[in-house]
Amino acid sequence: MTNPRPAPRQLAAVTLRALRQYLWPAPLTPRLRNRRYLRERLIALPLLTVVAAAAFGWAYADIRTDSTALRDSFAPALVGLAEAETSLRIADREAGESLDAGEAVQLSGLSKRYSTRTTRAVQRLNQVARSGALTTAERQELDVVSGLVVDYGTWITFAQNNVADPTLRNAGLSYARSMLCPEPEPEPASTTGESAGADGGYPPCGTGTGTGSRSRSDATAVVDRISALEDHLRDRLTERAALGAPVIAAAVVAALALVLLVRGLWHTQLFLRRRLRLHLSVPLLVAALPLLGVPFLTVDAVLAHRAQQRVVAVAGDLIGKTSPAIESAAEERPFGSRPRLLIASLDARARHDLAAGRLASLDGAAPWVTPAGLLGAALTGATLHAYRREYVLVSRSGAAV
């Protein structure tokens, strides 16, 4: 008769005992066989080292990569979009005031601030395109925005050339403004007076097809399209700054493996000292040296993650709280105090947070975490293999095994 197959519970119990046998070192009792213990450590310690190094190295590199992406791509892109939007709205107001001067604008031209702000908007859009933060579809949308900005300038020039004819001047200015920003929806009488000066005299953009529901793809006006890009970019920035499930799982696996590894190395050193009369295994000590960097790398990862969360808050301020009134007031008082919601102030805050959110001495360490662990695993395995081989040769003469 064939032996019956073991029940699933029995198989699970055997598996758990085997795992515990290898991962949790047995106490050094007189009945513990030296050869068996060395064989178990030869398998367990290198395996734990590889698992810990791979999991910890991947999680640490992912957090560091996210910080780099936020610093070099996402934050500059959001700042560029915010500056382009506010610059265009400032330029639009300047164009309207210049055209209200009548035929004098033909001699003096549009204000210098108009030219400066439109040029700055175009430059910022070009910088956003080169930032690497946009997807292919968003790059195409940004190209459309750049084209609309050029068309906006063309219609402002048309209004300037026909400033002597109020009908043509107003038609050109109205069409240019409709390309830039939709007309706001009429507000209730109780709130109209309150909101009229809410933005320092700058007329608010209407909800249109993008602002207010800015994730929609049917945005037509320039500000609508820029706002939609800002929302998409902020969503991806928030996603990059969050600890995803894979990173959390890798961190948990790495923590468990490191605890088991440290305990295993300590018990192995005790075993070698008591049974093989080795006061200290220098190769195992060298293999364990990378463990000294784990606390510093962990602190660096925690600082980086906290900095990323602060940048998420800055991104919300860039999109929802900046305004052309704040930028104009700061431009008119260049030596005054810088408002907290000034775009340049928010940009400096994001840069400072990301720069402070790391241990500078560990820059460039992320790619070496896993290779260092693999090297330590190889050294541990080679050392224990040499001890076991030497012990087996000695035990053949009749020593207890």
Side-chain angles (χ1 to χ4, degrees):
M1 291 180 60
T2 59
N3 293 329
R5 294 183 178 179
R9 288 186 178 180
Q10 294 177 344
L11 184 60
V14 172
T15 304
L16 289 176
R17 282 198 299 269
L19 286 175
R20 185 180 183 280
Q21 170 184 327
Y22 280 91
L23 300 181
W24 196 259
L28 297 179
T29 61
R31 298 179 58 184
L32 180 65
R33 290 180 174 272
N34 296 344
R35 184 187 299 178
R36 176 185 172 186
Y37 189 88
L38 287 172
R39 184 187 69 227
E40 292 172 358
R41 297 303 93 205
L42 177 59
I43 297 174
L45 293 184
L47 181 61
L48 286 171
T49 305
V50 170
V51 171
F56 185 86
W58 181 83
Y60 176 72
D62 186 82
I63 294 175
R64 267 290 196 155
T65 301
D66 288 341
S67 289
T68 301
L70 265 59
R71 182 183 67 245
D72 297 340
S73 298
F74 287 89
L78 275 175
V79 170
L81 290 174
E83 287 188 340
E85 180 179 344
T86 55
S87 291
L88 288 172
R89 294 187 63 191
I90 293 172
D92 182 65
R93 182 180 180 181
E94 292 295 320
E97 292 179 352
S98 297
L99 292 173
D100 286 343
E103 296 184 11
V105 76
Q106 292 180 330
L107 298 176
S108 61
L110 298 175
S111 68
K112 182 178 179 181
R113 181 183 284 186
Y114 168 82
S115 302
T116 302
R117 284 292 177 174
T118 52
T119 301
R120 183 181 299 180
V122 173
Q123 290 175 344
R124 293 297 180 266
L125 292 176
N126 291 335
Q127 290 173 359
V128 173
R130 296 192 300 268
S131 67
L134 303 183
T135 63
T136 301
E138 290 168 350
R139 278 292 307 273
Q140 294 173 349
E141 182 71 9
L142 190 65
D143 291 341
V144 173
V145 171
S146 299
L148 290 174
V149 170
V150 174
D151 290 342
Y152 167 81
T154 300
W155 282 102
I156 292 296
T157 302
F158 173 85
Q160 178 185 0
N161 294 335
N162 294 278
V163 69
D165 187 336
T167 302
L168 292 178
R169 180 196 64 190
N170 293 336
L173 182 59
S174 298
Y175 189 76
R177 283 179 168 172
S178 68
M179 295 174 60
L180 181 66
C181 183
E183 289 294 327
E185 295 178 358
E187 299 181 2
S190 60
T191 61
T192 302
E194 181 180 306
S195 63
D199 204 8
Y202 287 86
C205 280
T207 56
T209 56
T211 309
S213 59
R214 294 185 286 191
S215 62
R216 295 176 57 180
S217 60
D218 53 353
T220 56
V222 170
V223 173
D224 270 353
R225 293 175 184 269
I226 291 178
S227 298
L229 288 173
E230 286 177 329
D231 279 348
H232 296 159
L233 200 56
R234 180 183 57 179
D235 290 343
R236 287 192 286 112
L237 182 148
T238 304
E239 184 179 352
R240 291 294 295 266
L243 288 179
V247 175
I248 295 176
V252 171
V253 171
L256 292 175
L258 285 170
V259 170
L260 295 173
L261 177 61
V262 171
R263 179 182 172 86
L265 287 171
W266 174 253
H267 277 258
T268 302
Q269 289 282 8
L270 292 179
F271 169 84
L272 295 175
R273 181 177 181 180
R274 294 180 184 179
R275 294 294 180 87
L276 303 188
R277 301 296 186 266
L278 290 175
H279 292 286
L280 182 65
S281 175
V282 175
L284 286 183
L285 185 62
V286 172
L289 285 179
L291 294 175
L292 298 177
V294 171
F296 299 98
L297 295 173
T298 303
V299 170
D300 185 54
V302 171
L303 291 175
H305 178 63
R306 292 177 60 185
Q308 293 168 16
Q309 297 304 307
R310 289 194 289 268
V311 172
V312 171
V314 172
D317 291 341
L318 277 170
I319 294 178
K321 297 183 180 180
T322 56
S323 70
I326 296 175
E327 300 298 313
S328 294
E331 189 175 16
E332 292 166 1
R333 298 190 299 271
F335 300 106
S337 60
R338 291 160 62 96
R340 186 183 71 85
L341 295 177
L342 190 69
I343 294 177
S345 299
L346 293 173
D347 182 25
R349 201 169 103 200
R351 292 177 181 275
H352 175 267
D353 287 341
L354 290 173
R358 75 184 203 280
L359 299 178
S361 59
L362 295 179
D363 289 345
W368 299 100
V369 174
T370 300
L374 296 179
L375 183 61
L379 181 57
T380 300
T383 301
L384 292 176
H385 176 72
Y387 289 156
R388 183 169 181 271
R389 183 172 179 272
E390 182 180 355
Y391 176 76
V392 170
L393 291 176
V394 172
S395 66
R396 286 177 180 175
S397 62
V401 296

